Amino acid sequence: MTNDHTAYSLLGAGEMGSALARALLAAGHSTTVWNRTAHRAEALRADGARTAGDPGEAVSASPVVIACLYDHASVHQVLDPIVDRLRGRTVINVTTTTPDESRELAAWAAEHGITYLDGGIMAVPAMIGGPGSLILYSGSTEAFDQQEAVLSLWGRSRYLGADAGLAPLYDLAILTPMYTAFAGFLHGAAMVASAGVPATELAELAGPFLTAVVEPSVRHSAEVVDGGDFAVPGQQSLDFSDLSKFVAASESAGVDPVLINGVQLLIKRQIDAGFGDHGFARIFESLRRS
């Protein structure tokens, strides 16, 4: 085991892994990098990284191992064969996983004497180290406390608790509205394309509108959900939120209304249950299975 507590090993040198490595190197930390496709790791040599020929060599170089791999299965594929070398080390896993997958990895780590910290990166590679980068962590409190100063090199850090599944839960919960918003814009772009309107023209109009509306609406919806009273004043009612015109306009433009139909179904469930006069936030109840 190396005694150099400023040394880090990073497994996975894709765009995100490379950004994390460069932030460590820029701060003067000895950083060893391994990547399945070797030339990606070699590209970090110019920034001062040491490259390893295999994961075992990389792990042996540092007390802290950062996994930034493709998925949950790839974490096991890379780490299982070298699990004996990981004993006594800290693994910080920033690979995108589900909450249950992260909990499984935490249990696996504990079984093998490995300290485990899970991370959810709320940033694109270009944002790493910048003011807009946020990384969520859960798992070992001790590991977070010991590494917090280094983790801050990547962005603002927030520790969510000892349950390793919390970071990916928050991560995916935040990314869900992002992806559905992107899909919604593309739906709108497909609608105006039927009239020969370029998507950039729609974006010029939609961008400022969405910026002004989304954040306050999200905060208000959160207050309503947490308050538990979906009939509080100041909301658009579900009866008024009927989306049949959106469906008709989409179909007329030759656009599949699958996104709109999904929201319409959530609205209809609550109207049929007798809550048509309640606010739009009530579809929260349509989404919950329990």
Side-chain angles (χ1 to χ4, degrees):
M1 169 83 69
T2 177
N3 291 318
D4 184 356
H5 293 285
T6 67
Y8 293 84
S9 292
L10 190 137
L11 305 176
E15 289 190 19
M16 182 59 76
S18 294
L20 300 177
R22 289 191 177 97
L24 292 172
L25 290 163
H29 292 284
S30 173
T31 305
T32 302
V33 180
W34 170 85
N35 194 70
R36 194 182 304 274
T37 305
H39 74 85
R40 287 185 176 271
E42 290 294 333
L44 290 166
R45 275 184 179 273
D47 297 294
R50 302 173 182 174
T51 58
D54 58 67
E57 180 186 346
V59 164
S60 298
S62 314
V64 180
V65 178
I66 301 146
C68 187
L69 299 165
Y70 180 70
D71 58 12
H72 175 258
S74 66
V75 174
H76 274 300
Q77 288 166 3
V78 172
L79 297 186
D80 281 357
I82 56 170
V83 66
D84 289 343
R85 298 199 196 188
L86 289 166
R87 185 173 296 275
R89 289 181 161 82
T90 295
V91 170
I92 302 174
N93 179 37
V94 294
T95 306
T96 300
T97 56
T98 69
D100 285 344
E101 288 171 342
S102 290
R103 292 178 183 121
E104 184 277 327
L105 282 167
W108 170 87
E111 180 184 349
H112 293 95
I114 303 162
T115 302
Y116 183 83
L117 184 66
D118 206 277
I121 301 176
M122 311 309 305
V124 298
M127 294 170 62
I128 294 300
S133 177
L134 167 66
I135 306 183
L136 308 170
Y137 295 97
S138 58
S140 170
T141 304
E142 179 184 5
F144 179 79
D145 289 343
Q146 289 179 346
Q147 301 299 325
E148 186 175 6
V150 173
L151 299 178
S152 68
L153 297 172
W154 297 336
R156 183 166 63 92
S157 300
R158 179 166 177 181
Y159 180 69
L160 301 170
D163 175 1
L166 286 174
L169 179 66
Y170 274 64
D171 181 14
L172 297 176
I174 294 170
L175 292 177
T176 293
M178 183 191 78
Y179 278 105
T180 51
F182 288 168
F185 171 75
L186 294 172
H187 179 108
M191 290 176 70
V192 299
S194 68
V197 178
T200 49
E201 183 173 326
L202 179 66
E204 289 176 3
L205 297 172
F209 170 75
L210 293 172
T211 299
V213 169
V214 170
E215 183 176 359
S217 296
V218 165
R219 292 184 181 277
H220 179 66
S221 293
E223 291 170 0
V224 172
V225 167
D226 287 347
D229 182 1
F230 296 100
V232 294
Q235 301 181 82
Q236 178 173 299
S237 73
L238 288 168
D239 285 330
F240 190 76
S241 299
D242 177 80
L243 300 180
S244 56
K245 289 185 173 61
F246 292 75
V247 174
S250 298
E251 291 178 334
S252 177
V255 177
D256 187 338
V258 60
L259 288 172
I260 301 298
N261 281 334
V263 180
Q264 181 80 320
L265 174 62
L266 299 175
I267 293 170
K268 187 175 184 301
R269 285 178 182 172
Q270 294 305 311
I271 292 175
D272 290 348
F275 300 110
D277 60 337
H278 284 201
F280 185 81
R282 179 148 201 121
I283 70 168
F284 173 79
E285 298 294 351
S286 290
L287 289 160
R288 296 204 298 174
R289 289 180 175 174
S290 58

